[in-house]
Amino acid sequence: MRHLEVDREVGGWWSAHGDEVESCLDRDGGVVLDGPGLTDVANFQVLAELACGPLSRDNPEHPLVGDDPTGTVNRPVEYSSKRKLLWHNENTFATEWPRRIAFGCQRAADRGETPTVDMTAVYEELTPAVRGRFEELGVTYVRRLGTDLGLDWPTVYGTTDRQAVERRCERDGARWEWSDDGRVLTTWQRRAAVITLPGGRRSFVAQVLHWHPRALDEDVHEAMAALMPPGEFPKTCTFGDGSPIPDEDVVELLTTCDRLEEVVGWTEGRVMLLDNLRRAHARNPYTGERRLLVAIGRAVDHATAGSGHGG
């Protein structure tokens, strides 16, 4: 990815270099920006709005930044600093997919990089059989909200009204089922695994490595399996028709992403802009304090995200 220096006030710099940033994103799927004060919350919000706007608000998957009055700047998802968070295209299990994502570093830890991988290259590297299964069938994401692990459904849906949740599921095209006591909500959402980007390239966007039990670290998988069958984990996924995704398909995807990933180190004030449907991102383990900002935007409906047109 290309590195650019922001040497003046964000709005003025964007007026002069915004087209250059867009060209980098179109060509490489990402760009790195460095400059003083870029990750002050207000400056980051302005830059993210220019590069990724309109920005999404109140993302339930990520905690909000307290000093952002717009409600569009978040912190990364909480996850053990001792483990690698695997590659994923942000929110591509949901109804709306962000086309753009911005990360900004306020404090860099020892490691803790955000590796990225070009998912058009991953698509091309996958064996035809694996690629074909995902293209034909897509992926169904199965989520159990309200178990002893993971988020509960009032947090994700922003309400304690079960009927409101059901209306939302219906709008999202999701199937749902309540436990007898109403504490656990299970949803099934079928989504495309491969889409066509502007220019005609195919990109693998399925969040298999965040949802499939085979992608968990072995000790985590064993600990969870001691509590419940893998089919009842808080997050699982199948092919779109409900048939199981073979472990060997997941391993092939893991090894391909690992081989093709690109790593840019974090320094204070650095910003990374990504085409979220072109580049997946991960997070390396780290020690010390790591403080990042994140904003997502240019939402597209999952049904039209792979139309091959801009947006």
Side-chain angles (χ1 to χ4, degrees):
M1 287 187 287
R2 188 171 178 191
H3 292 234
L4 300 175
E5 192 74 25
V6 180
D7 56 1
R8 71 191 83 163
E9 176 269 331
V10 168
W13 185 88
W14 187 267
S15 295
H17 296 279
D19 288 346
E20 186 177 7
V21 173
E22 294 290 343
S23 178
C24 290
L25 288 165
D26 288 343
R27 184 184 65 247
D28 301 323
V31 63
V32 176
L33 307 179
D34 286 300
L38 278 188
T39 54
D40 293 345
V41 172
N43 286 340
F44 178 81
Q45 198 280 332
V46 170
L47 178 59
E49 187 73 46
L50 290 166
C52 309
L55 298 177
S56 299
R57 300 176 185 275
D58 303 322
N59 182 355
E61 308 294 332
H62 294 262
L64 280 168
V65 171
D67 52 348
D68 169 42
T70 71
T72 60
V73 180
N74 299 81
R75 297 289 181 192
V77 67
E78 296 178 1
Y79 191 74
S80 171
S81 62
K82 299 178 181 180
R83 301 181 185 276
K84 180 163 185 168
L85 182 66
L86 295 177
W87 309 269
H88 58 288
N89 301 81
E90 191 73 24
N91 285 6
T92 49
F93 64 90
T95 304
E96 289 190 331
W97 297 357
R99 186 58 197 257
R100 293 278 176 86
I101 185 166
F103 295 98
C105 179
Q106 292 185 311
R107 178 164 295 180
D110 180 11
R111 296 205 68 207
E113 305 95 340
T114 301
T116 68
V117 60
D118 185 341
M119 298 307 287
T120 64
V122 170
Y123 169 81
E124 291 164 2
E125 288 286 322
L126 291 173
T127 57
V130 171
R131 194 167 59 207
R133 284 193 285 273
F134 280 108
E135 281 187 302
E136 178 185 357
L137 299 173
V139 173
T140 290
Y141 299 98
V142 186
R143 194 171 196 182
R144 293 171 181 83
L145 298 166
T147 66
D148 292 333
L149 301 173
L151 298 174
D152 59 22
W153 58 266
T155 299
V156 170
Y157 288 95
T159 180
T160 58
D161 183 339
R162 287 175 53 173
Q163 290 186 333
V165 171
E166 292 174 2
R167 289 193 295 269
R168 168 74 178 276
C169 289
E170 191 169 349
R171 287 198 305 271
D172 291 349
R175 293 189 295 116
W176 70 89
E177 181 179 282
W178 296 98
S179 62
D180 290 342
D181 61 5
R183 189 172 69 90
V184 177
L185 171 68
T186 303
T187 62
W188 294 262
Q189 296 189 98
R190 186 172 184 173
R191 299 290 181 254
V194 177
I195 64 170
T196 302
L197 297 176
R201 294 189 72 180
R202 302 282 278 166
S203 182
F204 188 97
V205 296
Q207 280 202 6
V208 175
L209 300 182
H210 264 203
W211 292 70
H212 197 284
R214 179 59 182 82
L216 292 169
D217 289 342
E218 185 175 352
D219 61 331
V220 174
H221 186 280
E222 289 179 356
M224 292 177 62
L227 299 173
M228 64 193 74
E232 296 180 9
F233 283 4
K235 286 184 176 182
T236 58
C237 63
T238 67
F239 282 122
D241 63 355
S243 60
I245 298 173
D247 284 358
E248 53 267 30
D249 288 12
V250 180
V251 171
E252 181 175 332
L253 182 59
L254 271 167
T255 56
T256 303
C257 288
D258 186 59
R259 185 173 71 252
L260 296 178
E261 76 168 10
E262 302 172 42
V263 181
V264 176
W266 283 120
T267 59
E268 187 174 322
R270 174 164 287 175
V271 170
M272 183 188 297
L273 304 175
L274 300 177
D275 177 343
N276 181 56
L277 302 187
R278 167 82 178 271
R279 279 190 180 265
H281 63 276
R283 194 222 64 199
N284 281 335
Y286 65 92
T287 57
E289 184 181 1
R290 179 184 189 269
R291 193 162 70 240
L292 261 66
L293 305 173
V294 61
I296 59 176
R298 294 199 192 179
V300 293
D301 186 272
H302 76 93
T304 58
S307 64
H309 302 296

